Amino acid sequence: QRRVHGEFIGQQMLDSANKDVELRNKDDIHAGGQLLENKNSPVLYRSWLDRTFSPMKPGSERGSILTFIATGIGGGILTLPWVCKEVGLGYGLILLFIGMIATLWSFTLLIETACTTNIKNVEQMCEAVGGRTLLCFYQTGLVFLLFGAVVGFQVISANVATQILQDFGFAKDTTDTYLFQVLVVALPATFISFPLSQPKAIASLRYPSLIGICGIFVTFAIVIIQTPFFISQGSLKNIVWGKLNFRVFQCCGITYFAYMCQMSFSAIYSELFNPTRERIKKVTLRSVLIQMIFYMTMAVCG
C-alpha cells in the first residue's frame, strides 16, 4: 500500500496495487460524500442535487464562480445595448465574443503561470515573469483601477440616492445642497464600502456577491420582460446589423472591459479547495461563459 499523493483535509486514503484514487470535489468530504467502488478505482461521489444546493463553503467551486461573476458584471451592462446601437447588432455580438476569447486566453496565461511556478500571488507572478518593470507597471495600473472604481461607485450611489429621494418628495433645493451631497457620498462609503473591504479572505464575499448578482438580475429580467412590448411597436425594423464609425474603438473598450475579473484570480485560486489546473480552468470557463450569455442577452434585448 502507498499513500495517495496530495492532502485531502488531513485524511489518508489507501490504495492497493497501482490503482489511483480520484477526488472529484474536495467539498464532498465536508458534505458527507459517499465513497463508491467501481472496477477501476474508488471515487468520492455526490449527487447533482447535493453539489448544487448544499451550503457554499469557503473555497468551493460555486462560491468562486459567483465571486468571478460579481467582479466582472456591473452597472456597465447597461451600456451594451448602446454598443450594439452604435456599431450594429451583429458587430456588437462579435465584439462580445472576441472579448470572451481574450478573457479566456488571459486566464489561461494566469493559470499556466500559477501552476508552473507554484506562485498564487499576481504580484509575484509579474515579478517572476517580467521582473521589477512589469511589477511596477501592474501596481500602477491597479492603483488607478481601484481608485477609479471607488470614485465611480461613490458618484453612481450619490446620483441614485438623490433621484430616489426626489421621487419620494424631497425638494430639489435640498438635494442640491453641499451638506446633502457630502452625506450621500459618506454614508455608502461608511456602511457599504468600508465593511466590505474588511474581510481578508475573498471567499467571505461569496454571499454578498450573490446579493449583488440578484440585484443585477432584477434589471436583466425587467429588460427581457419589456422586450416583447418594443417588438410589438415595430422596433425590429430599425435594427442595423453592422456599421463602422469612430466609436468602434470606444465600443471595443466597453465590451472588453465588461469581462474584466482577472484581478480576483490570485485570491480565488489561493483559497480554492484542491486547486488543480483542471479545476481552476473549469471555474474560470464557467464564469466567463455565464458572463457572455448574460451580456449578449442584455445587448440584444436592450
Side-chain angles (χ1 to χ4, degrees):
Q1 292 181 332
R2 61 182 178 80
R3 178 175 300 176
V4 178
H5 294 288
E7 296 181 359
F8 301 106
I9 314 179
Q11 180 183 11
Q12 296 180 357
M13 302 179 62
L14 300 179
D15 191 19
S16 60
N18 293 323
K19 294 180 180 179
D20 295 326
V21 174
E22 176 185 359
L23 181 63
R24 287 187 177 176
N25 193 329
K26 195 170 183 179
D27 297 337
D28 295 338
I29 295 178
H30 295 286
Q34 297 179 350
L35 189 63
L36 304 179
E37 293 278 355
N38 61 25
K39 60 183 179 181
N40 294 322
S41 64
V43 177
L44 199 57
Y45 174 77
R46 275 200 308 163
S47 66
W48 175 86
L49 190 64
D50 289 337
R51 294 196 307 270
T52 304
F53 296 102
S54 60
M56 286 188 297
K57 297 183 179 298
S60 64
E61 286 186 3
R62 287 173 297 153
S64 301
I65 291 172
L66 286 175
T67 304
F68 269 131
I69 294 174
T71 305
I73 297 178
I77 61 171
L78 300 178
T79 62
L80 297 178
W82 177 86
V83 169
C84 292
K85 177 184 176 182
E86 292 299 320
V87 298
L89 181 60
Y91 287 172
L93 295 179
I94 290 174
L95 289 178
L96 286 172
F97 182 78
I98 294 174
M100 183 268 292
I101 296 298
T103 304
L104 290 177
W105 177 68
S106 66
F107 271 128
T108 299
L109 294 178
L110 290 173
I111 292 170
E112 293 301 324
T113 303
C115 294
T116 302
T117 62
N118 198 26
I119 296 176
K120 299 181 179 180
N121 185 283
V122 175
E123 293 185 348
Q124 295 176 0
M125 287 184 194
C126 292
E127 189 171 11
V129 173
R132 298 290 300 178
T133 302
L134 182 59
L135 176 61
C136 293
F137 180 78
Y138 167 78
Q139 291 176 335
T140 303
L142 188 62
V143 168
F144 281 103
L145 170 65
L146 296 179
F147 178 78
V150 172
V151 171
F153 171 77
Q154 300 293 344
V155 172
I156 293 174
S157 61
N159 291 337
V160 171
T162 301
Q163 186 62 48
I164 292 175
L165 292 176
Q166 289 179 359
D167 292 340
F168 277 93
F170 278 74
K172 193 173 186 303
D173 295 338
T174 302
T175 58
D176 288 342
T177 61
Y178 177 76
L179 178 61
F180 179 85
Q181 295 296 326
V182 171
L183 288 176
V184 295
V185 170
L187 291 178
T190 304
F191 296 104
I192 299 179
S193 300
F194 181 74
L196 290 177
S197 65
Q198 296 309 299
K200 295 182 179 180
I202 196 170
S204 60
L205 298 178
R206 60 192 183 280
Y207 289 114
S209 299
L210 181 60
I211 296 174
I213 292 174
C214 289
I216 297 175
F217 181 76
V218 171
T219 305
F220 179 72
I222 292 174
V223 172
I224 293 180
I225 292 173
Q226 291 180 339
T227 300
F229 169 76
F230 289 106
I231 292 178
S232 65
Q233 300 296 316
S235 59
L236 292 179
K237 300 178 181 179
N238 300 323
I239 291 180
V240 177
W241 291 101
K243 59 181 179 180
L244 294 177
N245 51 51
F246 287 106
R247 290 194 172 179
V248 67
F249 301 104
Q250 185 179 0
C251 294
C252 288
I254 292 174
T255 53
Y256 300 161
F257 186 79
Y259 291 97
M260 195 184 68
C261 53
Q262 291 87 341
M263 74 285 290
S264 302
F265 172 80
S266 59
I268 293 175
Y269 177 70
S270 62
E271 297 173 12
L272 183 67
F273 283 141
N274 190 26
T276 60
R277 179 183 277 102
E278 291 73 19
R279 196 152 188 246
I280 187 62
K281 281 185 176 181
K282 181 167 67 173
V283 169
T284 54
L285 177 61
R286 291 181 179 180
S287 303
V288 175
L289 287 179
I290 291 173
Q291 290 184 65
M292 185 190 67
I293 295 172
F294 199 93
Y295 292 153
M296 287 190 172
T297 306
M298 176 63 74
V300 172
C301 296

